[in-house]
Amino acid sequence: MTTPEIAFKHVSKRYGSGETEVRALADVDLSIDRGAFVAIMGPSGSGKSTAMNIVGCLDRPSDGEYFFEGIATSTLSRTQLTLLRRHKLGFVFQGFNLLPRTSAVENVELPLVYRGLEAGDRRQRALAALARVGLEGRAGHTPSELSGGQQQRVAIARAIVTDPAVLLADEPTGNLDTRTSLEIMQLMTTLNRVQGITVIMVTHEPDIAAFADRIIRFVDGRIESDRLKSDGALETMA
């Protein structure tokens, strides 16, 4: 039996204490295999963002264990967690988070700067990442010279320039119109199915979630439903 890429074992997350304590996650068990495309849904306060933060090693469980590629992340130091994020994970956000006075290619190079790559190697890899998202002709443009969809493509190029195993997308189409949203989702589907990147995406939009092969819905810190798409339909995970 293969080891899941992502696994929660009885994961809980609490904020505050006493009467002010908030239980964001409550005894969650979850496993995601390599190469999956998963959409995480749920109302505000359901725990979906907390779960994503733990998957991204931006937060730790209060109880239980999070395993990444079979390794218990509780055993990792802060430096090791930083290296895991840097080498294994890519992040895409609703607000793009691009540096406004910096060109597209320079924005994409940023994760490689943190890795300490030489300037020439950084530029070559950043240009290749922009080509992968269809923006090879926009490398010298600043964010203000790009459309919203193009800015999100730059953000995706920045996320994949390090060749991550997992792409974490938090409302990646939240600031985009319908046509552009579909273009971004088609790109993410290609990254998943052609290039083999595991995609885990938070979204409020059912039509966006429909691009995923599996839809997990959180309610009140627990998984309410976990459905796998099969031949165009959705079936409940065992």
Side-chain angles (χ1 to χ4, degrees), residues 185-199:
M185 292 313 303
Q186 288 163 359
L187 169 60
M188 294 182 69
T189 300
T190 298
L191 293 172
N192 170 249
R193 295 180 181 172
V194 178
Q195 300 182 26
I197 299 175
T198 302
V199 177

Side-chain angles (χ1 to χ4, degrees), residues 98-104 106-107 142-144:
L98 302 176
L99 298 179
R101 296 182 178 84
T102 304
S103 69
E106 290 167 335
N107 268 285
T142 62
S144 64

Side-chain angles (χ1 to χ4, degrees), residues 18-222:
E19 294 182 359
T20 63
E21 180 180 286
V22 175
R23 196 175 180 88
L25 291 177
D27 196 31
V28 172
D29 286 322
L30 172 66
S31 64
I32 297 173
D33 293 332
R34 186 184 307 274
F37 190 160
V38 178
I40 297 178
M41 304 188 74
S44 297
S46 63
K48 62 185 186 300
S49 294
T50 300
M52 281 283 279
N53 285 340
I54 292 174
V55 171
C57 295
L58 301 172
D59 204 351
R60 292 179 182 262
S62 302
D63 300 294
E65 186 61 79
Y66 165 40
F67 295 87
F68 185 86
E69 295 183 347
I71 298 172
T73 57
S74 64
T75 66
L76 302 180
S77 67
R78 184 172 298 180
T79 297
Q80 289 172 320
L81 287 171
T82 298
L83 291 173
L84 190 157
R85 287 193 301 269
R86 190 174 295 171
H87 291 271
K88 292 288 188 176
L89 304 175
F91 297 86
V92 178
F93 304 97
Q94 177 178 346
F96 315 143
N97 292 0
L98 302 176
L99 298 179
R101 296 182 178 84
T102 304
S103 69
V105 69
E106 290 167 335
N107 268 285
V108 175
E109 284 180 350
L110 280 177
L112 304 177
V113 173
Y114 298 132
R115 280 197 182 184
L117 270 66
E118 297 290 337
D121 192 13
R122 290 200 309 265
R123 183 55 53 94
Q124 182 178 4
R125 292 182 63 170
L127 289 171
L130 285 170
R132 287 167 72 183
V133 301
L135 283 183
E136 54 267 48
R138 296 290 188 271
H141 291 63
T142 62
S144 64
E145 298 171 322
L146 301 171
S147 68
Q150 289 172 332
Q151 290 182 58
Q152 190 62 295
R153 285 176 180 267
V154 173
I156 292 171
R158 181 182 58 192
I160 65 173
V161 73
T162 57
D163 292 322
V166 179
L167 182 65
L168 301 175
D170 189 0
E171 299 283 0
T173 62
N175 287 336
L176 304 175
D177 60 43
T178 299
R179 181 182 63 81
T180 307
S181 295
L182 294 177
E183 291 175 357
I184 292 299
M185 292 313 303
Q186 288 163 359
L187 169 60
M188 294 182 69
T189 300
T190 298
L191 293 172
N192 170 249
R193 295 180 181 172
V194 178
Q195 300 182 26
I197 299 175
T198 302
V199 177
I200 304 175
M201 170 184 67
V202 165
T203 182
H204 284 95
E205 303 169 75
D207 57 332
I208 297 301
F211 280 86
D213 298 318
R214 179 179 172 191
I215 300 176
I216 301 171
R217 182 174 177 82
F218 278 81
V219 174
D220 295 332
R222 300 179 184 274

